[in-house]
Amino acid sequence: DSSSWSREARRTTRKESRETKEEKAVWGPENMAFVGCPIAVLGRGSSIAVSGKAQCEGLVGRSRAARRCGLRMVASQEQQHQQQVGEAPSMDERQPFRSEQIPHRLSLGERARTVAHVCRTGTLCTASVKHEGQPFGSHVDYILNEQGQPVLLLAESATHTKNLRSNAKCSLYCQPLSNSGQGGGRCTLVGTLEAVSEEEIEELRDTYIDTHPHAAQALSVADKFNFYKIGVKDIYFVGGFGVTATWVDPAKFESSEPDPLAFDAPEIVASMNRDKREELATLVKAFIGDVELEQVSVMSLDRLGFDLRVRTSSETKEYRIAFREKVTTRFDVQSSLTKTLQEAWERANGFEDSWEGVEERPVIMYYANVRK
């Protein structure tokens, strides 16, 4: 029954917590904000920032009210310090959600690589020969090779191919259909068109046809279609409306692996937002606090946790809710979500004592927008 399942879940969680205690994740860079604390812009390298991080880490294990009080104190100290020395925060400090170091979250390289991996089709932008270099967009299919370079099968007679013969500079815009619109993640791969070696064609041909079956017929026509690849020079990644929008280091994009839940995540997110509204409201109460909630939505999900957007009458904030367990499959993530919602219900309904001795679930606020 549910009570025995709950006891078993807590025993399992305590065991996992003890096993990973020595490997606890660092709470993140100084400019991250924690539950109950307004985003604190902590000057990197300042003495207050260093002591602030130590104070934040020292709050782990205290009651939620004590942590909130202490974190507000840390933020207040840093704000006073900045007023004294006249520091002007940088763009990255004013918008800490751009940071590569948000704890328990995929890196920017992993997120961009995941988007490009899921898409399989995109908009190829070339410089028009007919219109003297005007940007020209056209639909193309592609797959990624091991280096994260898009591999395209282009018709030699196509307008975009003619444009590329004149000017090899191009970009590929990628956004999954399952996550379309302003709120969806997308990326633009900027680079130049390059030839593909015969050896690489042999390696990729079957994968390309498996992904795009119509390619088999195109390849049966001699010299009409050929493989090309885009040598990626830079990547621009947008995580959603009003959140992350930044350039990604190409080396980090190349070395990153797509998230293993990439193809399952959209369906799971949609199901959570459709069927678990009450449970999500309880989760906010348990892990974030009592707020005048207007709307709560899961924005994204991956192997490390999920992003939760919390909207009130005066502000919108986004939080990272981390998984305690290792997650690599759809079954894993469904199990972890069930445990997270069960824990939230128990904490919100007066059963917090049953979670004593279990490592605090990481909940990090990484974005806030106050509406005037």
Side-chain angles (χ1 to χ4, degrees):
D1 58 14
S2 60
S3 60
S4 62
W5 182 94
S6 178
R7 289 193 295 272
E8 179 61 27
R10 288 195 294 273
R11 282 197 293 270
T12 302
T13 305
R14 289 193 185 96
K15 181 175 182 292
E16 291 168 347
S17 178
R18 288 194 297 271
E19 290 174 348
T20 60
K21 191 173 183 180
E22 298 301 321
E23 303 174 2
K24 263 197 303 191
V26 177
W27 282 98
E30 289 79 16
N31 62 355
M32 291 297 100
F34 291 78
V35 175
C37 174
I39 287 185
V41 181
L42 306 184
R44 295 169 186 167
S46 70
S47 58
I48 296 292
V50 174
S51 63
K53 180 178 180 181
Q55 291 180 47
C56 283
E57 291 174 342
L59 293 170
V60 177
R62 297 189 190 179
S63 69
R64 183 174 285 110
R67 289 200 308 277
R68 289 176 181 169
C69 180
L71 287 163
R72 290 194 181 99
M73 177 186 68
V74 172
S76 176
Q77 288 178 346
E78 177 59 23
Q79 289 165 358
Q80 292 174 9
H81 173 72
Q82 287 188 353
Q83 291 172 358
Q84 292 170 0
V85 301
E87 290 181 2
S90 67
M91 176 62 76
D92 284 351
E93 289 173 324
R94 292 198 303 272
Q95 303 185 62
F97 49 82
R98 293 172 179 266
S99 174
E100 273 279 6
Q101 303 176 53
I102 296 176
H104 310 287
R105 202 169 191 225
L106 299 181
S107 69
L108 289 174
E110 289 174 307
R111 295 169 70 191
R113 184 71 179 261
T114 298
V115 167
H117 171 73
V118 169
C119 277
R120 309 293 177 84
T121 66
T123 301
L124 179 65
C125 299
T126 58
S128 174
V129 172
K130 180 179 180 180
H131 295 287
E132 300 179 345
Q134 283 286 111
F136 178 84
S138 54
H139 171 90
V140 292
D141 296 328
Y142 72 91
I143 62 171
L144 297 182
N145 63 14
E146 290 186 359
Q147 292 74 42
Q149 298 171 320
V151 176
L152 321 169
L153 181 63
L154 302 181
E156 293 299 327
S157 60
T159 300
H160 48 232
T161 309
K162 295 175 181 177
N163 291 340
L164 290 163
R165 289 197 198 103
S166 175
N167 184 345
K169 293 181 179 179
C170 59
S171 63
L172 181 66
Y173 174 78
C174 315
Q175 183 172 19
L177 289 174
S178 60
N179 201 15
S180 60
Q182 288 289 323
R186 60 263 193 194
C187 65
T188 301
L189 310 181
V190 181
T192 56
L193 195 73
E194 300 176 0
V196 181
S197 68
E198 288 298 327
E199 182 181 358
E200 189 171 5
I201 289 174
E202 288 301 315
E203 293 176 355
L204 295 173
R205 182 192 298 270
D206 290 343
T207 301
Y208 194 97
I209 293 174
D210 287 343
T211 306
H212 306 290
H214 63 270
Q217 182 178 357
L219 288 168
S220 67
V221 183
D223 301 325
K224 296 294 184 180
F225 293 83
N226 285 298
F227 283 107
Y228 296 90
K229 64 183 178 182
I230 298 176
V232 179
K233 309 299 182 185
D234 214 342
I235 303 97
Y236 192 71
F237 173 74
V238 179
F241 181 71
V243 191
T244 309
T246 187
W247 292 98
V248 178
D249 184 343
K252 292 182 179 179
F253 177 84
E254 179 180 341
S255 62
S256 296
E257 293 289 337
D259 186 72
L261 299 172
F263 290 102
D264 293 321
E267 182 183 345
I268 296 172
V269 168
S271 175
M272 290 284 290
N273 289 329
R274 183 183 63 247
D275 303 330
K276 302 293 183 181
R277 295 179 183 178
E278 291 185 10
E279 289 87 343
L280 291 177
T282 301
L283 189 148
V284 171
K285 180 180 179 181
F287 294 129
I288 297 171
D290 289 319
V291 298
E292 295 181 3
L293 189 64
E294 285 190 353
Q295 184 179 12
V296 56
S297 303
V298 178
M299 302 306 295
S300 62
L301 177 146
D302 53 60
R303 62 184 171 83
L304 301 179
F306 58 97
D307 294 331
L308 197 69
R309 177 171 288 181
V310 178
R311 181 186 177 98
T312 67
S313 59
S314 60
E315 61 188 3
T316 299
K317 294 181 178 180
E318 292 199 6
Y319 298 83
R320 185 63 173 180
I321 314 293
F323 295 137
R324 290 197 184 94
E325 308 81 13
K326 183 178 180 180
V327 171
T328 57
T329 67
R330 185 186 183 98
F331 176 82
D332 291 340
V333 74
Q334 289 174 332
S335 174
S336 291
L337 286 171
T338 299
K339 290 179 181 179
T340 303
L341 296 179
Q342 175 72 18
E343 179 184 352
W345 185 91
E346 293 188 8
R347 289 185 181 276
N349 287 276
F351 297 99
E352 282 195 336
D353 290 348
S354 63
W355 289 90
E356 285 185 4
V358 178
E359 182 182 354
E360 192 81 12
R361 183 178 295 276
V363 179
I364 303 100
M365 186 184 77
Y366 64 88
Y367 171 77
N369 180 26
V370 178
R371 296 190 296 278
K372 296 181 180 179

